[in-house]
Amino acid sequence: MTALYLFLMPLGLIPVLGGISLLKILTYPIVIVCVICYFKDKTELNFNLTQLLFAVFIMYTALSVLYYDTYESEQSVRGFLQIMFVSFVFCCRKCNKYEYKVIEKSFILMGIAVLVLFFLSGETLLEGRNTLTILGTPADPNELCGYLILPEIFCFKYIFSQKFNLKSKIFYTVYLLFIVFAALKTGSRGGLLAIMFTAFLYSVTGVKETKRKAAALAAVIIIAVIAAKLVIPNLPGKIAERMAIERIIEDRATGRLDIWKILIDDTLKSNKSYLIGGGTTSAIDALKGANIGNTVAHNQFIQVFHDGGIIGTVLFVSAYASAILQNLKRNIYASIAAAGFAVLGMTLTFDPSMKIFWNTFMFCMMRFESDDDFFPQSNI
């Protein structure tokens, strides 16, 4: 059931009833079936430190409505509480190796579905940027790249592991190239950086043998050079111009530097806001007051700092660090994905509707049976 839910993630882009996504509607019966099965099988519950830290962060966020209560904050808190509940249902038991394989395949198939929809939809945004559209609803180009992070990691796993045959390696090599090409066509600088950083990190930490590590690093360098020299200059619209360092400096990262300064200054204006923040979604009012025509923080960490203060930031970073560290020896793929999303979070805010981030975080909280042959340890 967990694998089915993960495969259906792109349906979160489709609003059905009053803004409620199709994924959320389908989530309820999936969760109910899981809970019934747990009671029927008398499943032993298993929780870990990351889940505890995550729960503390979510509850702290929820309590902020006591001093900052708006329609947006109530919606956000409701979304976070639902995420916590769903995550705990899917993560409260230890999964076996077979279940892990099914979950891995669900991410791989989800990535293929996203790529097919992306290349078939032909949705073009400003400056010639591309994204996917489901039933008329376009995805944020940065978010789209997030859907490709775990599939990319599994591509590297299949390409640079000696356990898989040549046909598999060829298939996943083609799959990987389509992932990079899609990231380039979105024109998302943060998304492309996260994709390339994830590839580099897997090469360094996810590949054991020296020769295979060297081959993986060489592949990343070759892909980066081909993208920079051959692909980007020939992309339509102004995507190539967007990728130039001069453009990033000129437009101040599409105004993000100004947004971040406003939010940081607003947080540091008093001891109270520095300590506990302005409350969840309070960044919206801060940016409205600044009159810059944007109400999105475009940085997960600055958003958390503004809304939750130093306390909220410590709680979020602690949960995030725990998610990475607890998987280094058990499921390096999850650790690498979390690190990739940390890079993506430098230019993107993960609100409750950003299911790909929170479900990847959920993947980090899952417990699997230990098997060093199945889950390679990192080289850190």
Side-chain angles (χ1 to χ4, degrees), residues 94-105 107 150 153-154 157-158 161 163-164 202 205-208 326-336 363-364 366-379:
K94 186 177 289 187
C95 299
N96 58 41
K97 289 189 291 183
Y98 170 76
E99 290 170 315
Y100 175 85
K101 289 180 180 179
V102 174
I103 290 172
E104 178 184 300
K105 294 299 182 185
F107 276 114
L150 266 168
I153 291 170
F154 292 130
K157 168 189 172 181
Y158 280 83
S161 173
K163 295 188 294 183
F164 303 104
Y202 184 91
T205 64
V207 183
K208 285 186 176 181
Q326 81 165 12
N327 285 291
L328 286 177
K329 300 298 182 183
R330 298 188 298 107
N331 182 8
I332 187 61
Y333 312 122
S335 293
I336 295 171
F363 180 60
C364 293
M366 290 180 179
R367 301 295 299 273
F368 300 100
E369 293 178 353
S370 297
D371 186 337
D372 289 345
D373 292 329
F374 191 73
F375 300 109
Q377 297 182 7
S378 74
N379 297 307

Side-chain angles (χ1 to χ4, degrees), residues 204-338:
V204 174
T205 64
V207 183
K208 285 186 176 181
E209 299 177 14
T210 303
K211 289 184 179 179
R212 294 181 185 277
K213 185 190 297 292
L217 283 169
V220 173
I221 294 171
I222 291 170
I223 290 173
V225 171
I226 291 175
K229 299 297 184 180
L230 298 178
V231 181
I232 292 178
N234 293 295
L235 288 173
K238 298 183 178 180
I239 296 179
E241 183 183 327
R242 275 182 57 83
M243 297 294 182
I245 298 296
E246 296 80 8
R247 168 67 183 275
I248 297 173
I249 296 173
E250 180 185 345
D251 66 9
R252 298 180 62 77
T254 320
R256 283 172 168 79
L257 296 179
D258 299 316
I259 292 171
W260 300 339
K261 184 180 186 305
I262 290 168
L263 293 178
I264 291 173
D265 289 345
D266 191 58
T267 306
L268 299 177
K269 67 184 180 183
S270 70
N271 290 334
K272 177 185 175 182
S273 59
Y274 171 73
L275 185 65
I276 64 174
T280 184
T281 73
S282 60
I284 295 175
D285 282 345
L287 293 174
K288 281 182 179 178
N291 240 352
I292 61 172
N294 200 320
T295 58
V296 181
H298 291 291
N299 185 303
Q300 173 65 14
F301 301 95
I302 291 177
Q303 174 93 40
V304 170
F305 180 53
H306 181 275
D307 291 358
I310 193 64
I311 294 177
T313 304
V314 169
L315 292 175
F316 178 75
V317 171
S318 297
Y320 209 87
S322 176
I324 293 176
L325 295 174
Q326 81 165 12
N327 285 291
L328 286 177
K329 300 298 182 183
R330 298 188 298 107
N331 182 8
I332 187 61
Y333 312 122
S335 293
I336 295 171

Side-chain angles (χ1 to χ4, degrees), residues 100-171:
Y100 175 85
K101 289 180 180 179
V102 174
I103 290 172
E104 178 184 300
K105 294 299 182 185
S106 73
F107 276 114
I108 291 171
L109 292 173
M110 181 271 295
I112 292 173
V114 167
L115 286 175
V116 170
L117 290 170
F118 174 78
F119 286 107
L120 289 181
S121 64
E123 181 72 18
T124 303
L125 304 177
L126 293 174
E127 300 183 316
R129 302 173 67 187
N130 294 119
T131 188
L132 68 83
T133 300
I134 303 179
L135 297 181
T137 303
D140 179 271
N142 304 288
E143 179 183 5
L144 174 64
C145 291
Y147 280 98
L148 302 175
I149 287 179
L150 266 168
E152 176 198 22
I153 291 170
F154 292 130
C155 282
F156 269 90
K157 168 189 172 181
Y158 280 83
I159 294 169
F160 293 103
S161 173
Q162 61 183 358
K163 295 188 294 183
F164 303 104
N165 59 39
L166 181 60
K167 287 184 179 179
S168 292
K169 292 179 185 296
I170 293 174
F171 172 80

Side-chain angles (χ1 to χ4, degrees), residues 350-364:
F350 303 134
D351 61 44
S353 67
M354 200 74 66
K355 290 296 186 293
I356 182 59
F357 168 75
W358 298 107
N359 288 337
T360 299
F361 193 85
M362 180 179 72
F363 180 60
C364 293

